[in-house]
């Protein structure tokens, strides 16, 4: 495929990803704000974050296996359409004042189930859209879409519109998911794995799991990603309480706080390919985990709105850099026909750690007395993850580009 052809297809994917991530960002801010109108219990607030990510623990593996069996573009379209319908139902319930805390949990769970399919498909598409030497750039652009949509724009839009009229952000989110599905219709080609299989879905998963189990480098990367996810979420799930109670921000200024984090994430996405070329993937990965620790630890110690927002931006930039390196390592090392299944196992561990971290974070805040103290604890624990990453990756370069990068996926006009 020519650069022009692949660039065109990548643009359709980026447009869909950007729109659906904007919708997701609006919803992810609006749901917790809606929950705080019903309860201020830190465990119940943390439970919402846990419910939002629980599908990655329960459905990531089936979703990954599914996208190794069907057309990945069609899977994204169907999943975004489902999210649009669920959020539209929330909009209707809220308009008729029929919303309760358990209703928020159910809606978040359903949106999360659809998200496992949409995000799994989106994350295994780049190797069939661009050449191997452009994967770092493609993954950085996908990360930029996620950051711009979910935090840079979604956070402020979600909080500002919620402050004006609680129904409005959910209406915008539903429309955004629908547009994200429609945009993909413009991306030409079939994206079904080449190695068609008639085996049982359980056997397909077993193949992917066995392959991953034999790959020691990916297992070490998975351990780093899982620990980073678990420990970061201790604090991340308490962000809304940290902003409202420790920093004394309003609902509207909470969105501005999140905006700074989005700016940091966007900066991280833009700088990562250059940093990788200059100092290598391993250094960027270990350094990224270190700056995650410094960002969250500093937020807990300072508790001043402007400085805390800057530190949140540092954390966001660092975690995006880590995510770009990890995504490119997967695309470089995993055969294309196994990407969905390996990603399913990966996301089960990494995203499955989020609800556990969220619940532990809620309990930790209750024990320590404030969300700011939980941020401090998270930062300290992330320093230990940095040490583990430095040890686990010693003498193991991540820049080997000799592995399969997606030849097992069709991309045909």
């Amino acid at each position: 495929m020519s650069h022009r052809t692949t660039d065109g297809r990548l643009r359709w994917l980026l447009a869909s990803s950007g729109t659906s991530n904007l919708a997701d960002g609006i919803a992810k801010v609006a749901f917790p704000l809606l929950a705080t109108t019903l309860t201020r219990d830190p465990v119940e607030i943390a439970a919402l974050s846990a419910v939002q990510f629980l599908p990655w623990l329960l459905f990531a593996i089936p979703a990954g296996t599914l996208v190794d069996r069907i057309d990945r573009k069609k899977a994204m379209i169907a999943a975004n359409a489902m999210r649009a319908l669920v959020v539209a139902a929330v909009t209707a319930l809220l308009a008729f004042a029929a919303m309760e805390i358990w209703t928020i949990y159910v809606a978040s769970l359903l949106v999360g189930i659809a998200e496992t399919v949409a995000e799994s498909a989106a994350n295994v598409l780049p190797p069939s859209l661009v050449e191997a030497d452009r994967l770092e750039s493609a993954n950085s652009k996908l990360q930029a879409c996620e950051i711009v949509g979910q935090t840079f724009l979604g956070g402020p839009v979600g909080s500002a519109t919620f402050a004006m009229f609680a129904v409005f952000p959910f209406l915008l989110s539903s429309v955004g998911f629908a547009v994200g599905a429609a945009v993909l219709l413009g991306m030409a080609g079939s994206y079904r794995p080449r190695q068609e299989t008639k085996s049982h879905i359980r056997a397909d998963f077993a193949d992917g799991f066995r392959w991953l189990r034999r790959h020691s480098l990916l297992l070490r990367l998975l351990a780093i990603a899982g620990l980073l996810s678990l420990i970061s979420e201790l604090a991340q799930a308490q962000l809304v309480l940290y902003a409202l109670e420790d920093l004394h921000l309003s609902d509207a200024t909470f969105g501005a706080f999140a905006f700074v984090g989005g700016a940091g994430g966007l900066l991280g996405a833009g700088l990562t390919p250059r940093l990788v070329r200059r100092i290598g993937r391993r250094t960027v990965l270990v350094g990224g985990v270190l700056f995650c620790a410094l960002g969250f630890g500093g937020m807990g110690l300072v508790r001043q709105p402007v400085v805390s927002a800057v530190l949140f931006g540092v954390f966001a930039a660092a975690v995006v850099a880590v995510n770009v390196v990890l995504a490119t390592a997967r695309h470089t090392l995993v055969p294309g026909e196994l990407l969905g299944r390996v990603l399913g196992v990966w996301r089960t561990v990494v995203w499955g750690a989020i609800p556990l971290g969220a619940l532990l974070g809620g309990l930790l805040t209750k024990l320590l007395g404030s969300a700011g103290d939980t941020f401090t604890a998270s930062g300290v624990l992330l320093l230990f993850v940095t040490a583990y990453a430095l040890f686990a990756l010693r003498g193991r370069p991540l820049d080997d580009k000799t592995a399969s990068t997606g030849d097992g996926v069709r991309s045909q006009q």
Side-chain angles (χ1 to χ4, degrees):
M1 289 185 292
S2 68
H3 281 312
R4 180 175 298 178
T5 300
T6 56
D7 284 347
R9 295 182 182 184
L10 181 61
R11 278 194 291 268
W12 286 111
L13 176 62
L14 294 176
S16 174
S17 178
T19 307
S20 58
N21 272 295
L22 173 59
D24 200 28
I26 293 172
K28 277 187 167 60
V29 168
F31 272 121
L33 288 174
L34 180 60
T36 59
T37 66
L38 301 174
T39 178
R40 285 298 180 102
D41 187 304
V43 175
E44 290 186 353
I45 296 296
L48 175 58
S49 181
V51 167
Q52 287 176 323
F53 288 99
L54 185 62
W56 288 103
L57 181 61
L58 301 179
F59 298 102
I61 290 174
T65 307
L66 178 69
V67 300
D68 276 346
R69 296 169 71 98
I70 66 174
D71 188 299
R72 291 158 176 180
K73 180 181 75 173
K74 292 179 180 178
M76 286 185 67
I77 292 172
N80 280 329
M82 177 179 171
R83 290 196 282 184
L85 290 173
V86 172
V87 180
V90 171
T91 307
L93 288 173
L94 189 55
F96 288 99
M99 188 62 63
E100 297 182 25
I101 190 69
W102 69 266
T103 316
I104 299 175
Y105 293 157
V106 171
S108 297
L109 182 65
L110 293 174
V111 170
I113 292 172
E115 184 182 19
T116 62
V117 176
E119 291 298 313
S120 295
N123 277 275
V124 299
L125 273 172
S128 58
L129 298 177
V130 301
E131 290 81 0
D133 61 355
R134 301 176 66 208
L135 279 172
E136 215 97 51
S137 175
N139 285 319
S140 292
K141 289 173 181 176
L142 273 176
Q143 281 288 308
C145 285
E146 181 177 342
I147 292 299
V148 170
Q150 293 211 20
T151 308
F152 200 67
L153 293 178
V157 170
S159 60
T161 53
F162 185 87
M164 289 170 17
F165 183 39
V167 173
F168 196 23
F170 296 99
L171 178 62
L172 288 177
S173 179
S174 179
V175 171
F177 285 132
V179 172
V183 163
L184 280 174
L185 297 174
M187 189 171 75
S190 170
Y191 300 90
R192 184 185 296 271
R194 251 191 210 132
Q195 292 188 357
E196 308 273 354
T197 177
K198 300 297 183 183
S199 62
H200 193 277
I201 193 168
R202 189 176 300 173
D204 285 353
F205 158 68
D207 289 341
F209 182 78
R210 280 194 296 268
W211 188 93
L212 178 61
R213 190 176 58 186
R214 292 195 297 265
H215 204 296
S216 63
L217 176 56
L218 274 179
L219 286 177
R220 293 179 185 220
L221 292 175
L222 178 57
I224 294 168
L227 289 170
L228 177 61
S229 178
L230 174 70
I231 296 171
S232 295
E233 191 60 22
L234 293 176
Q236 190 80 6
Q238 299 296 298
L239 184 62
V240 65
L241 290 181
Y242 172 79
L244 298 181
E245 297 184 355
D246 289 73
L247 302 182
H248 308 292
L249 301 179
S250 66
D251 290 348
T253 52
F254 171 61
F257 184 87
F259 181 90
V260 177
L266 187 60
L267 180 64
L271 290 179
T272 299
R274 299 177 191 177
L275 289 173
V276 166
R277 286 193 296 269
R278 182 163 297 186
I279 61 177
R281 288 177 186 157
R282 182 178 60 183
T283 305
V284 172
L285 176 59
V286 176
V289 178
L290 174 61
F291 276 95
C292 286
L294 297 177
F296 269 2
M299 287 172 68
L301 294 174
V302 175
R303 304 194 195 182
Q304 196 280 334
V306 175
V307 178
S308 291
V310 172
L311 289 169
F312 187 45
V314 169
F315 168 81
V319 80
V320 165
V322 171
N323 286 340
V324 169
V325 171
L326 291 173
T328 305
R330 287 196 307 269
H331 289 155
T332 301
L333 299 171
V334 182
E337 67 275 9
L338 289 173
L339 264 174
R341 281 163 280 179
V342 171
L343 181 63
V345 177
W346 186 288
R347 286 274 170 100
T348 297
V349 174
V350 176
W351 288 52
I354 291 176
L356 176 59
L359 290 173
L360 290 176
L363 293 172
L364 192 59
T365 295
K366 220 165 190 178
L367 178 66
L368 297 177
S370 77
D373 292 335
T374 300
F375 273 82
T376 303
S378 176
V380 171
L381 291 172
L382 285 172
L383 290 175
F384 287 98
V385 180
T386 304
Y388 170 73
L390 190 62
F391 172 78
L393 300 180
R394 184 177 53 186
R396 291 174 175 265
L398 303 179
D399 302 288
D400 181 13
K401 295 182 173 60
T402 62
S404 171
T405 58
D407 292 334
V409 179
R410 275 206 306 267
S411 176
Q412 300 173 346
Q413 294 279 6

